[in-house]
Amino acid sequence: MRVALYARYSTEKQNDGYSIETQLEACHKRLDAEGEPYEVTEYIDRAKSGTTIAGRTALMRLIGDAANGLLDRVMVYKFDRLGRSQAETATLIQDLEDAGVEVVSATEGDDPLARGMHLVFAEHYRRQLAERTHAGNVKAAKAGHIGCPAPYGYARDDEGQFTVDPEQAAMAQRIFRDYRQGGSMKSIARALNREGIPSPAGGEWHAPSVLSMFDNEIYIGRLIFNQREFYRNRKTGRRIYRERPEDEWIVMDRPDLAIIDQETWDAVQGRRAKRRCSSGKGRRTYALSGLVRCADCGHIFVAQPSKNSKGHYIYMTCGARQTGGTCKNSFRFRMDLVRDEMIRQVCEDIFSPEAIDRMRKTITRLAAERLATKDADLEHLEEQKAACQKKISAVMQLMVEAKERGDETDDLWADELGKLKANLAALEEREKELNIGPRLDLSRLTRAIQKTICRQKDGLLGAREPEMVRDGLRLFVGEVEAYPDGRLEYKTNPVDLLEADGESREALVAGAGFEPATFRL
């Protein structure tokens, strides 16, 4: 049997009871007690939150191995090692079990009901921990202890209080002054990088590093805590925030921390407001926004409007190079040319007759496999029902015999009979649910595939708004990598077109096997 041992802890301060070594030791101990020969693989996520699955590379690898039929069993120290979100962890376990993988805990048993209760407790613990942590931070903030890194221009004293760092404070004053006098955040970042001055994070400066300073009122002696509420996006694993009501903010006046005078601060904020008004209501979205990434440094390519004698064009270039000047990838391209080429290749790779035929065959195969699984489940249910009915008949016979003998065991037998009948009713209900699903109709399925693919193709080719073009390309194209030598490389995704169209079908598109598309400009 192929067994996966999964272990995780959240932070370096995790207590010994949940250390990786303790978790794995408990799992190996249970396997040894079972006395069976096992092929064991360990999957370990260190310093990874259990709030969401996203970002846990070892768990994602485990899920992939399970889906590919490489595992028979997954064992954890406790079920909350898989996650502290009840809904997400329950779905993960269900997906693993649907793939034929048994999920067990070395310390909490195998019973599904007990497992459900442990997941409820884990969710409750996560919420309580978050509430207690926030309450503690609020209390500390009111006492003058802000639990965040010192902003640029500041340090912490022996008591943990913010103090002015004279050297960085002088540089912060220069940054505000340069921007007030007409410099851009991008040019300021580039100048700091040329001089070898470390950013607030200790690395390179970028325009957002400068912007974060202009948003922080500590520079005029005003500390604000509890202004934002952070949470984690379950799909991406990224921490994002939303603004709290202003009456929940904790505001403290600290004139001893002011290193920027009010006049300079107001001038900087006034210039920012004018630039926002002149550039429109918000950031523009282009057809390739967020789709292209630099192959050298990993930053997203950003739009760069340009004008010449032939007209107005949008070029795309590495964001790190544009905002900080640190990336050596000087390649840039005209967005409209790449957009049109990508659409052409998508139509050729995904909407060609050959590609459509591959998708139709894949969908048909998967639908047939799903129906075969359903038939096997129905057959198994029939066996369980027959066994249950046999037990019911045996109990009823025993009840008759006991009554004839005058034994006082009627209540015990009646209780057992009630449990058996309830079990039989549950099996019949499950059988009814399985029989509701549609049977495989190849001609109807083929027509649905053709109709949906045509609608998706027309939607992509007929899109006029940049957001619609971007969303259409994102559906069919994986991440694009831009190389210094002028190559753009990406894969067309064999996506679930039926699901993307919003229709509920029994089929999935998978594994069409498209090769990476590469072209030069």
Side-chain angles (χ1 to χ4, degrees):
M1 178 179 285
R2 299 161 299 180
V3 179
L5 305 185
Y6 178 73
R8 175 190 65 82
Y9 67 85
S10 299
T11 69
E12 295 293 347
K13 297 179 181 179
Q14 190 80 49
N15 65 60
D16 291 338
Y18 283 86
S19 69
I20 296 297
E21 293 73 19
T22 299
Q23 295 175 51
L24 295 177
E25 182 182 353
C27 292
H28 281 291
K29 186 175 180 180
R30 163 149 180 187
L31 291 179
D32 292 342
E34 293 179 0
E36 298 287 338
Y38 292 111
E39 178 186 335
V40 177
T41 306
E42 295 178 354
Y43 299 78
I44 300 171
D45 277 320
R46 300 180 186 274
K48 298 291 185 179
S49 170
T51 306
T52 179
I53 292 174
R56 288 196 264 163
T57 53
L59 181 59
M60 298 305 294
R61 186 159 46 87
L62 183 153
I63 293 172
D65 290 347
N68 290 326
L70 302 179
L71 300 174
D72 301 308
R73 193 184 202 188
V74 171
M75 181 177 290
V76 291
Y77 176 65
K78 289 187 175 183
F79 289 115
D80 66 4
R81 297 301 86 198
L82 289 172
R84 293 197 185 276
S85 167
Q86 178 190 359
E88 192 173 55
T89 306
T91 301
L92 167 62
I93 292 173
Q94 185 63 56
D95 289 343
L96 289 170
E97 290 180 340
D98 288 347
V101 178
E102 181 187 14
V103 182
V104 299
S105 164
T107 60
E108 294 176 335
D110 311 335
D111 181 72
L113 179 60
R115 181 175 67 198
M117 293 303 298
H118 286 302
L119 292 178
V120 170
F121 293 146
E123 173 83 6
H124 179 64
Y125 170 78
R126 180 183 68 83
R127 293 182 184 276
Q128 277 196 327
L129 181 62
E131 291 171 2
R132 286 199 298 266
T133 301
H134 180 255
N137 288 338
V138 168
K139 184 177 180 180
K142 290 179 177 178
H145 299 277
I146 306 295
C148 65
Y152 190 77
Y154 299 90
R156 288 186 183 273
D157 60 20
D158 294 338
E159 296 179 357
Q161 298 282 354
F162 287 149
T163 60
V164 175
D165 181 317
E167 185 177 346
Q168 288 190 1
M171 191 58 61
Q173 290 168 346
R174 167 189 155 180
I175 291 170
F176 275 83
R177 183 174 61 251
D178 288 351
Y179 185 78
R180 180 184 181 181
Q181 294 174 353
S184 68
M185 287 182 273
K186 180 170 62 177
S187 66
I188 292 171
R190 285 180 171 175
L192 294 170
N193 287 330
R194 282 196 301 271
E195 297 174 32
I197 298 171
S199 72
E204 297 171 341
W205 285 86
H206 299 283
S209 311
V210 178
L211 176 61
S212 67
M213 295 177 64
F214 296 160
D215 283 334
N216 197 338
E217 294 188 37
I218 190 176
Y219 293 102
I220 54 173
R222 193 166 182 255
L223 287 176
I224 302 178
F225 179 74
N226 208 42
Q227 186 176 2
R228 294 171 175 174
E229 177 183 9
F230 289 87
Y231 63 99
R232 197 172 295 277
N233 185 304
R234 295 195 182 281
K235 292 183 179 179
T236 65
R238 293 179 179 176
R239 283 183 84 234
I240 50 183
Y241 69 87
R242 47 179 167 253
E243 294 286 338
R244 293 183 185 273
E246 194 166 346
D247 59 4
E248 294 183 11
W249 296 3
I250 299 173
V251 181
M252 291 170 284
D253 290 323
R254 289 286 303 275
D256 58 306
L257 296 178
I259 57 178
I260 302 297
D261 61 83
Q262 191 67 47
E263 182 184 351
T264 300
W265 175 269
D266 292 341
V268 167
Q269 301 309 319
R271 184 174 177 227
R272 292 179 63 198
K274 286 181 181 179
R275 289 179 63 83
R276 281 194 294 266
C277 291
S278 63
S279 61
K281 293 183 179 180
R283 182 180 297 178
R284 290 192 61 183
T285 299
Y286 297 96
L288 300 184
S289 293
L291 291 180
V292 185
R293 192 173 291 277
C294 176
D296 265 18
C297 70
H299 275 74
I300 290 290
F301 263 47
V302 297
Q304 194 176 49
S306 180
K307 180 183 178 181
N308 56 33
S309 59
K310 296 182 180 180
H312 294 265
Y313 300 100
I314 301 297
Y315 284 82
M316 299 200 78
T317 185
C318 173
R321 183 178 180 84
Q322 185 188 28
T323 60
T326 54
C327 181
K328 296 181 181 180
N329 186 354
S330 61
F331 172 50
R332 70 172 195 158
F333 59 85
R334 253 179 63 182
M335 186 188 64
D336 58 320
L337 298 180
V338 173
R339 175 200 62 202
D340 293 345
E341 175 63 16
M342 288 173 67
I343 291 175
R344 185 193 68 77
Q345 290 198 10
V346 165
C347 291
E348 183 178 296
D349 290 345
I350 294 182
F351 297 127
S352 66
E354 296 79 12
I356 292 174
D357 186 57
R358 284 199 300 271
M359 282 187 270
R360 181 189 62 79
K361 290 178 179 177
T362 302
I363 290 172
T364 302
R365 175 178 58 80
L366 291 174
E369 289 176 359
R370 186 169 297 182
L371 288 172
T373 300
K374 181 189 291 187
D375 290 340
D377 289 343
L378 286 170
E379 184 177 344
H380 183 56
L381 280 172
E382 282 296 332
E383 294 174 356
Q384 288 181 303
K385 282 172 56 183
C388 190
Q389 288 168 339
K390 187 176 181 180
K391 289 180 181 179
I392 289 174
S393 299
V395 169
M396 292 180 69
Q397 180 62 35
L398 289 171
M399 289 177 68
V400 170
E401 294 175 357
K403 188 174 182 180
E404 291 175 350
R405 292 195 304 269
D407 294 344
E408 297 180 0
T409 56
D410 290 356
D411 290 343
L412 294 175
W413 291 121
D415 184 55
E416 180 66 19
L417 183 62
K419 291 179 182 178
L420 289 170
K421 287 184 175 181
N423 187 29
L424 180 61
L427 292 171
E428 290 174 342
E429 185 64 27
R430 175 60 180 153
E431 184 180 41
K432 191 182 299 182
E433 290 174 0
L434 287 174
N435 281 319
I436 291 176
R439 303 301 297 176
L440 181 61
D441 185 337
L442 283 178
S443 60
R444 184 169 175 267
L445 185 59
T446 301
R447 288 196 302 272
I449 295 169
Q450 295 280 8
K451 180 181 177 181
T452 302
I453 289 176
C454 288
R455 189 155 50 233
Q456 291 292 335
K457 181 179 179 181
D458 292 343
L460 179 60
L461 295 178
R464 292 291 179 265
E465 296 296 325
E467 293 89 346
M468 296 175 64
V469 178
R470 181 199 60 189
D471 292 344
L473 286 173
R474 194 187 298 275
L475 183 65
F476 303 115
V477 177
E479 195 167 79
V480 184
E481 287 193 318
Y483 291 84
D485 61 2
R487 282 182 298 125
L488 287 168
E489 184 171 308
Y490 62 90
K491 280 186 179 181
T492 45
N493 287 329
V495 297
D496 184 350
L497 296 175
L498 297 179
E499 288 295 330
D501 193 56
E503 297 191 16
S504 177
R505 302 291 177 191
E506 283 290 315
L508 299 172
V509 178
F514 295 118
E515 293 300 317
T518 305
F519 59 91
R520 294 178 184 269
L521 294 176

